[in-house]
Amino acid sequence: MAEELVPNPRHEQLKYLLKEVHNRSQEVRQAYQRVYGSMQSGKVWTGPTAGKWTNEVGDRHNHLGRLVQAMVHAIESELHRHPPSVTRSQAELIRRQIRGG
């Protein structure tokens, strides 16, 4: 008789991580957005140094966005490697691996 299928703990863990990264990515994307927008307005600080600093903030803002996207792709890739359901004995083995035992 075939063993009953249960949720894969690794798959569930990765789905949770992906959800958290998506939730936090909004915070990351907005972290520099307000500062960058204020600096671009020309009402906060002007001059060559201000322009250089504004460009740096913009570059960091874009770089963070790319890093978040890379994390999302890496987690999604790993998620696709783990089936959503496994046998009960496989799930127990995975739980032990997760715990480091």
Side-chain angles (χ1 to χ4, degrees):
M1 185 156 138
E3 204 174 338
E4 175 187 5
L5 293 179
V6 296
N8 180 343
R10 178 72 69 199
H11 189 85
E12 296 296 312
Q13 185 182 47
L14 289 166
K15 278 189 349 187
Y16 177 79
L17 179 60
L18 186 60
K19 181 180 175 185
E20 283 298 305
V21 169
H22 276 294
N23 290 342
R24 301 289 182 203
S25 71
Q26 284 303 94
E27 294 173 27
V28 169
R29 286 188 178 107
Q30 293 171 356
Y32 286 109
Q33 205 166 27
R34 187 172 46 223
V35 172
Y36 185 63
S38 295
M39 290 301 298
Q40 280 192 313
S41 74
K43 297 177 184 177
V44 176
W45 184 20
T46 60
T49 304
K52 183 178 177 187
W53 194 81
T54 301
N55 289 339
E56 284 183 33
V57 169
D59 290 345
R60 289 175 189 235
H61 173 71
N62 292 329
H63 182 68
L64 272 175
R66 288 190 303 273
L67 288 175
V68 167
Q69 196 57 45
M71 283 178 29
V72 166
H73 287 307
I75 295 167
E76 287 174 340
S77 177
E78 187 66 15
L79 183 61
H80 291 300
R81 291 184 53 234
H82 299 276
S85 300
V86 294
T87 64
R88 193 171 292 284
S89 58
Q90 288 171 321
E92 185 54 40
L93 177 62
I94 292 167
R95 279 190 208 89
R96 280 194 300 254
Q97 290 171 339
I98 289 171
R99 289 191 304 259

